[in-house]
Amino acid sequence: RYWNSLSNLVASLLNSVRSIASLLLLLFLFIIIFSLLGMQLFGGKFNFDEMQTRRSTFDNFPQSLLTVFQILTGEDWNSVMYDGIMAYGGPSFPGMLVCIYFIILFICGNYILLNVFLAIAVDNLADAESLTSAQKEEEEEKERKKLARTASPEKKQEIEKTAVEEETKEEKIELKSITADGESPPATKINVDDYQPNENEEKSPYPTTEAPAEEDEEEPEMPVGPRPRPMSELHLKEKAVPMPDASAFFIFSPNNRFRVHCHRIVNDNIFTNLILFFILLSSISLAAEDPVRHLSFRNQILGNADYVFTSIFTLEIILKMTAYGAFLHKGSFCRNYFNILDLLVVSVSLISFGIQSSAINVVKILRVLRVLRPLRAINRAKGLKHVVQCVFVAIRTIGNIVIVTTLLQFMFACIGVQLFKGKLYSCTDSSKQTAAECRGYYITYKDGEVNQPMIQPRSWENSKFDFDNVLTAMMALFTVSTFEGWPELLYRSIDSHMEDVGPIYNHRVEISIFFIIYIIIIAFFMMNIFVGFVIVTFQEQGEQEYKNCELDKNQRQCVEYALKARPLRRYIPKNQYQYKVWYVVNSTYFEYLMFVLILLNTICLAMQHYGQSCMFKEAMNILNMLFTGLFTVEMVLKLIAFKPK
């Protein structure tokens, strides 16, 4: 109640119950239809191997429901499909038709129906985020009014002036880069005149008389996709990060020549690309090390190269600290988390070089931390840095979803403890039911061969994942939510009888409802909430660039399309012979003919198989040469019609 963002998330989840209920009804009908169809196709036919007991069968309706639900989760569904193929005689003509049932079930259920949960999750999170942002705006408005009431008349005039100035900003584009520590650096204001058109854009075929022809030759590319091109993709004149006004190391003032020279070096594109190149070489040298023979000749060469790389990276950090300062003032080197990462990686390498004794475990750990060196490329690649910043924002605000999921996990774990505590024990000798009876030795047969008996000791063992306490129950349920091996735990729970008593085959089939409800709520819905939250976060970060724009997304798209719309051009040759070839190539009949040839060529390629006769192989080779010749003729005709350029 008192945590706004968390309460908004829970409220949006509760409001989506109607959509989830409709989807669950559709999913239930889908499972029933395929369960009944599976009973008709495979009922009683999974008994082709009497030495192996199969649990995922279609012998009755409840078991058929569980098998279809297991296929929807994608866990070991191929084994069920292979059993169905073997039930109809193996991988031959009638048996291979069985796979159509499983493929349709998996595609329609797993790829289509279950992804609707993701769509609902994205919709809910968008509602929750919009509600939270609206509440924040209301709180900011209240604080602003409160300050206006308590402020003096002079301050009121200043507040009004700043408000008017903010409204009159029209020809400025404000770009705010989000730092990892959550602070926004000073806004960089860039004039619209600084926009540099892309050199790779198409030439305009219609120059106007209002402007010089050279300027009209460069035309922006047509907008592709549902949203306009973000500001991060525009070619803007990049300006160097300004030098802070404070001194560096209490020695170098902002006007110091050496410091100004260092600032010019670290902001040079050649210097940045050179550091990226050395980071790449350093990463390759780390991958080329021999982990077995530490004193090999290759490791010695790579060790000397590591000294060179570390020296270069140390020089880079010294230059940047000289240009921007260390950490005391705003805008200094250590005020950015990415720079701290660089400093950590270089410091680890320097410390590991200073302590040469390999017997010290600390040194080994420091040497292992050198694998973080490729992460230094994040601070240089702008696109990668933008993605990492979005990930940091998602991780920082994903706590609400983690709390809700953990509470649900804890609730199901408590229920699981009540249902299964002490009931998942079993004896290695299936004929014994209690721990008192599970003593001594028993006879088993290797690979089911009666002629190879083996004597094994009896042991009373618990399941790999159990529900004896809340912590182990949460771990067991987490593995179920990942769909990894959950049918084994399901059937172990179905066979459970009493505490400290061995399993009985299909003793409590109704207990599977617990696992089905858990998978639907946690795995199908809550786990998709995480994916949806990342999607919503990236969308919001993309819209952050247009935060101060008065137009919405559709209006921006219309304006951009109107600015970039150009009439379509069509090439028509003037030469009469070339025109005839061009007319044939552009005709509908020619396109249909080439489509039929491509289809026939695909069928011929699909007809090849193992064990084909020599005559069949020669025929396929002749057809392949024929199709290649026809496609070559098509290429030549199009070259004549359209010219190479």
Side-chain angles (χ1 to χ4, degrees), residues 73 134 190 200 205 207 228 271 309 338 345 355 365 419 495 540 560 589 592 607:
T73 62
I190 301 168
N200 297 325
F271 180 80
F309 294 139
F338 290 105
V345 174
I355 308 173
I365 296 173
L419 292 175
D495 297 341
E540 288 182 350
E560 184 172 3
Y589 298 105
Y592 285 154
M607 290 174 62

Side-chain angles (χ1 to χ4, degrees), residues 220-385:
E221 58 186 15
M222 296 292 289
V224 180
R227 60 175 295 173
R229 187 169 54 179
M231 293 300 301
S232 58
E233 295 180 10
L234 295 178
H235 295 270
L236 300 171
K237 291 181 180 178
E238 297 180 4
K239 297 181 180 179
V241 180
M243 187 188 304
D245 293 334
S247 62
F249 301 113
F250 305 103
I251 301 173
F252 304 105
S253 63
N255 299 324
N256 186 277
R257 290 186 177 180
F258 179 71
R259 186 179 180 186
V260 172
H261 190 62
C262 292
H263 182 266
R264 190 181 297 113
I265 290 174
V266 297
N267 285 286
D268 191 82
N269 288 331
I270 298 176
F271 180 80
T272 305
N273 295 332
L274 194 63
I275 294 297
L276 266 176
F277 177 70
F278 281 118
I279 291 173
L280 178 63
L281 289 181
S282 175
S283 303
I284 293 173
S285 68
L286 288 174
E289 286 185 358
D290 190 350
V292 179
R293 295 173 295 176
H294 298 286
L295 301 177
S296 62
F297 179 71
R298 182 174 65 181
N299 280 6
Q300 292 178 3
I301 296 177
L302 294 176
N304 295 329
D306 202 12
Y307 282 110
V308 176
F309 294 139
T310 305
S311 303
I312 294 172
F313 297 149
T314 305
L315 178 62
E316 176 204 7
I317 288 179
I318 292 173
L319 289 174
K320 286 189 174 182
M321 282 189 172
T322 305
Y324 298 108
F327 55 84
L328 290 179
H329 53 270
K330 190 175 182 180
S332 59
F333 181 81
C334 293
R335 292 294 182 97
N336 191 324
Y337 283 173
F338 290 105
N339 292 337
I340 293 176
L341 177 63
D342 290 351
L343 184 62
L344 174 66
V345 174
V346 176
S347 301
V348 164
S349 299
L350 290 174
I351 295 172
S352 62
F353 290 149
I355 308 173
Q356 294 294 334
S357 176
S358 60
I360 305 176
N361 292 329
V362 178
V363 178
K364 294 181 180 179
I365 296 173
L366 293 176
R367 299 288 289 178
V368 169
L369 288 177
R370 291 185 306 155
V371 299
L372 298 175
R373 193 173 290 172
L375 295 179
R376 299 188 70 239
I378 296 174
N379 203 13
R380 281 95 187 152
K382 292 187 177 179
L384 183 60
K385 188 176 181 179

Side-chain angles (χ1 to χ4, degrees), residues 29-316:
L29 292 175
F30 180 82
I31 292 174
I32 287 178
I33 291 171
F34 274 89
S35 299
L36 295 174
L37 182 59
M39 290 173 62
Q40 299 295 323
L41 293 175
F42 309 108
K45 294 185 179 180
F46 281 13
N47 55 359
F48 47 86
D49 188 1
E50 297 180 356
M51 298 302 298
Q52 186 178 1
T53 303
R54 286 173 173 80
R55 303 301 299 265
S56 301
T57 62
F58 296 87
D59 295 344
N60 52 64
F61 185 66
Q63 184 59 54
S64 182
L65 286 174
L66 287 177
T67 304
V68 171
F69 190 77
Q70 174 189 339
I71 294 172
L72 286 182
T73 62
E75 172 56 26
D76 208 23
W77 74 276
N78 54 332
S79 298
V80 184
M81 182 179 69
Y82 296 148
D83 290 340
I85 293 173
M86 294 302 296
Y88 278 87
S92 56
F93 169 67
M96 289 304 294
L97 294 178
V98 171
C99 64
I100 298 175
Y101 166 83
F102 294 97
I103 292 173
I104 293 175
L105 171 59
F106 191 80
I107 291 176
C108 295
N110 195 298
Y111 290 161
I112 299 176
L113 274 179
L114 296 187
N115 281 327
V116 180
F117 283 98
L118 178 59
I120 295 175
V122 172
D123 191 25
N124 294 335
L125 285 171
D127 293 341
E129 289 297 316
S130 61
L131 186 60
T132 304
S133 61
Q135 290 179 351
K136 287 182 179 178
E137 289 178 0
E138 289 179 3
E139 292 177 358
E140 291 176 358
E141 187 68 24
K142 289 179 181 178
E143 291 179 358
R144 200 178 295 117
K145 289 181 180 179
K146 193 180 294 184
L147 288 173
R149 289 172 187 170
T150 58
S152 60
E154 296 178 357
K155 290 185 177 179
K156 285 183 180 179
Q157 292 178 359
E158 291 180 1
I159 293 172
E160 291 176 358
K161 286 181 180 179
T162 53
V164 171
E165 288 176 0
E166 288 178 357
E167 291 178 357
T168 55
K169 291 177 182 176
E170 293 179 353
E171 294 187 355
K172 301 286 184 180
I173 300 171
E174 188 171 347
L175 300 177
K176 293 186 178 180
S177 60
I178 302 169
T179 56
D181 55 357
E183 297 180 358
S184 295
T188 306
K189 296 179 180 177
I190 301 168
N191 292 329
V192 179
D193 298 334
D194 292 343
Y195 171 73
Q196 295 286 335
N198 193 350
E199 296 178 356
N200 297 325
E201 291 170 347
E202 296 180 0
K203 305 280 184 173
S204 175
Y206 303 100
T208 59
T209 56
E210 298 177 359
E214 294 180 358
E215 296 180 0
D216 283 331
E217 286 182 357
E218 296 183 356
E219 175 190 344
E221 58 186 15
M222 296 292 289
V224 180
R227 60 175 295 173
R229 187 169 54 179
M231 293 300 301
S232 58
E233 295 180 10
L234 295 178
H235 295 270
L236 300 171
K237 291 181 180 178
E238 297 180 4
K239 297 181 180 179
V241 180
M243 187 188 304
D245 293 334
S247 62
F249 301 113
F250 305 103
I251 301 173
F252 304 105
S253 63
N255 299 324
N256 186 277
R257 290 186 177 180
F258 179 71
R259 186 179 180 186
V260 172
H261 190 62
C262 292
H263 182 266
R264 190 181 297 113
I265 290 174
V266 297
N267 285 286
D268 191 82
N269 288 331
I270 298 176
F271 180 80
T272 305
N273 295 332
L274 194 63
I275 294 297
L276 266 176
F277 177 70
F278 281 118
I279 291 173
L280 178 63
L281 289 181
S282 175
S283 303
I284 293 173
S285 68
L286 288 174
E289 286 185 358
D290 190 350
V292 179
R293 295 173 295 176
H294 298 286
L295 301 177
S296 62
F297 179 71
R298 182 174 65 181
N299 280 6
Q300 292 178 3
I301 296 177
L302 294 176
N304 295 329
D306 202 12
Y307 282 110
V308 176
F309 294 139
T310 305
S311 303
I312 294 172
F313 297 149
T314 305
L315 178 62
E316 176 204 7

Side-chain angles (χ1 to χ4, degrees), residues 532-589:
F533 193 85
V534 174
I535 294 173
V536 171
T537 302
F538 272 75
Q539 289 176 348
E540 288 182 350
Q541 294 303 313
E543 291 297 322
Q544 196 79 13
E545 298 169 352
Y546 305 100
K547 184 178 180 181
N548 296 326
C549 184
E550 296 181 357
L551 304 178
D552 60 15
K553 187 194 298 186
N554 293 330
Q555 291 171 337
R556 292 197 305 268
Q557 181 183 353
C558 292
V559 170
E560 184 172 3
Y561 183 79
L563 292 173
K564 295 183 177 181
R566 294 290 184 275
L568 295 175
R569 296 179 60 191
R570 190 174 186 183
Y571 171 76
I572 300 177
K574 296 180 180 180
N575 187 291
Q576 58 177 349
Y577 299 106
Q578 186 182 0
Y579 177 80
K580 291 179 181 179
V581 178
W582 174 86
Y583 183 80
V584 172
V585 168
N586 279 306
S587 64
T588 307
Y589 298 105

